mmCIF file of all heavy atoms in Angstrom:
data_model
loop_
_atom_site.group_PDB
_atom_site.id
_atom_site.type_symbol
_atom_site.label_atom_id
_atom_site.label_comp_id
_atom_site.label_asym_id
_atom_site.label_seq_id
_atom_site.Cartn_x
_atom_site.Cartn_y
_atom_site.Cartn_z
ATOM 1 N N GLU A 60 140.668 123.182 460.764
ATOM 2 C CA GLU A 60 139.958 124.362 461.160
ATOM 3 C C GLU A 60 139.098 124.039 462.377
ATOM 4 O O GLU A 60 138.550 122.969 462.527
ATOM 5 C CB GLU A 60 139.009 124.880 460.063
ATOM 6 C CG GLU A 60 137.986 125.899 460.487
ATOM 7 C CD GLU A 60 137.004 126.178 459.370
ATOM 8 O OE1 GLU A 60 137.445 126.321 458.185
ATOM 9 O OE2 GLU A 60 135.831 126.329 459.694
ATOM 10 N N GLU A 61 139.145 124.998 463.352
ATOM 11 C CA GLU A 61 138.249 124.899 464.505
ATOM 12 C C GLU A 61 137.169 126.018 464.340
ATOM 13 O O GLU A 61 137.529 127.201 464.348
ATOM 14 C CB GLU A 61 138.961 125.013 465.854
ATOM 15 C CG GLU A 61 139.976 123.825 465.922
ATOM 16 C CD GLU A 61 140.327 123.454 467.333
ATOM 17 O OE1 GLU A 61 140.147 124.252 468.225
ATOM 18 O OE2 GLU A 61 140.788 122.307 467.541
ATOM 19 N N HIS A 62 135.980 125.557 464.102
ATOM 20 C CA HIS A 62 134.844 126.442 463.723
ATOM 21 C C HIS A 62 134.037 126.678 464.962
ATOM 22 O O HIS A 62 133.696 125.726 465.681
ATOM 23 C CB HIS A 62 134.049 125.676 462.676
ATOM 24 C CG HIS A 62 133.431 126.554 461.627
ATOM 25 N ND1 HIS A 62 134.198 127.223 460.713
ATOM 26 C CD2 HIS A 62 132.170 126.860 461.365
ATOM 27 C CE1 HIS A 62 133.417 127.909 459.900
ATOM 28 N NE2 HIS A 62 132.137 127.699 460.306
ATOM 29 N N PHE A 63 133.718 127.958 465.225
ATOM 30 C CA PHE A 63 132.920 128.294 466.455
ATOM 31 C C PHE A 63 133.656 127.783 467.667
ATOM 32 O O PHE A 63 133.107 126.972 468.451
ATOM 33 C CB PHE A 63 131.478 127.746 466.331
ATOM 34 C CG PHE A 63 130.739 128.153 465.144
ATOM 35 C CD1 PHE A 63 130.024 127.191 464.358
ATOM 36 C CD2 PHE A 63 130.848 129.436 464.557
ATOM 37 C CE1 PHE A 63 129.369 127.519 463.215
ATOM 38 C CE2 PHE A 63 130.167 129.737 463.419
ATOM 39 C CZ PHE A 63 129.422 128.821 462.767
ATOM 40 N N GLN A 278 131.208 137.449 457.553
ATOM 41 C CA GLN A 278 132.470 137.426 458.313
ATOM 42 C C GLN A 278 133.544 138.190 457.600
ATOM 43 O O GLN A 278 133.657 138.115 456.344
ATOM 44 C CB GLN A 278 133.016 135.913 458.435
ATOM 45 C CG GLN A 278 132.337 135.085 459.492
ATOM 46 C CD GLN A 278 132.967 133.704 459.502
ATOM 47 O OE1 GLN A 278 133.152 133.106 458.465
ATOM 48 N NE2 GLN A 278 133.216 133.156 460.693
ATOM 49 N N THR A 295 144.487 131.716 458.282
ATOM 50 C CA THR A 295 143.330 132.619 458.054
ATOM 51 C C THR A 295 142.557 132.717 459.432
ATOM 52 O O THR A 295 142.394 131.798 460.162
ATOM 53 C CB THR A 295 142.343 131.974 457.037
ATOM 54 O OG1 THR A 295 143.033 131.766 455.866
ATOM 55 C CG2 THR A 295 141.193 132.931 456.803
ATOM 56 N N PHE A 296 142.084 133.959 459.613
ATOM 57 C CA PHE A 296 141.256 134.261 460.804
ATOM 58 C C PHE A 296 139.910 134.910 460.325
ATOM 59 O O PHE A 296 139.924 135.752 459.408
ATOM 60 C CB PHE A 296 142.023 135.292 461.658
ATOM 61 C CG PHE A 296 141.237 135.953 462.818
ATOM 62 C CD1 PHE A 296 141.092 135.220 463.973
ATOM 63 C CD2 PHE A 296 140.768 137.189 462.667
ATOM 64 C CE1 PHE A 296 140.357 135.794 465.000
ATOM 65 C CE2 PHE A 296 140.030 137.773 463.692
ATOM 66 C CZ PHE A 296 139.874 137.066 464.870
ATOM 67 N N ALA A 297 138.829 134.474 460.876
ATOM 68 C CA ALA A 297 137.526 134.975 460.433
ATOM 69 C C ALA A 297 136.692 135.381 461.683
ATOM 70 O O ALA A 297 136.697 134.654 462.657
ATOM 71 C CB ALA A 297 136.766 133.988 459.625
ATOM 72 N N PRO A 308 132.279 132.373 468.648
ATOM 73 C CA PRO A 308 133.710 132.480 468.648
ATOM 74 C C PRO A 308 134.278 132.696 467.212
ATOM 75 O O PRO A 308 133.680 132.265 466.278
ATOM 76 C CB PRO A 308 134.248 131.177 469.281
ATOM 77 C CG PRO A 308 133.030 130.518 469.963
ATOM 78 C CD PRO A 308 131.855 130.982 469.155
ATOM 79 N N ASP A 309 135.514 133.219 467.185
ATOM 80 C CA ASP A 309 136.177 133.388 465.894
ATOM 81 C C ASP A 309 136.588 132.076 465.320
ATOM 82 O O ASP A 309 136.723 131.057 466.058
ATOM 83 C CB ASP A 309 137.388 134.329 466.111
ATOM 84 C CG ASP A 309 136.983 135.682 466.633
ATOM 85 O OD1 ASP A 309 135.874 136.173 466.246
ATOM 86 O OD2 ASP A 309 137.738 136.230 467.493
ATOM 87 N N THR A 310 136.948 132.078 464.032
ATOM 88 C CA THR A 310 137.371 130.830 463.374
ATOM 89 C C THR A 310 138.827 130.978 462.968
ATOM 90 O O THR A 310 139.192 132.003 462.413
ATOM 91 C CB THR A 310 136.487 130.573 462.157
ATOM 92 O OG1 THR A 310 135.129 130.325 462.566
ATOM 93 C CG2 THR A 310 136.962 129.398 461.311
ATOM 94 N N HIS A 311 139.637 129.942 463.262
ATOM 95 C CA HIS A 311 140.999 129.901 462.907
ATOM 96 C C HIS A 311 141.292 128.757 461.977
ATOM 97 O O HIS A 311 140.822 127.707 462.215
ATOM 98 C CB HIS A 311 141.955 129.724 464.143
ATOM 99 C CG HIS A 311 141.776 130.824 465.161
ATOM 100 N ND1 HIS A 311 142.533 131.978 465.167
ATOM 101 C CD2 HIS A 311 140.923 130.982 466.224
ATOM 102 C CE1 HIS A 311 142.125 132.773 466.141
ATOM 103 N NE2 HIS A 311 141.135 132.144 466.841
#
Side-chain angles (χ1 to χ4, degrees):
E60 170 185 318
E61 299 207 338
H62 214 68
F63 308 136
Q278 278 181 317
T295 304
F296 169 80
D309 300 323
T310 296
H311 300 270

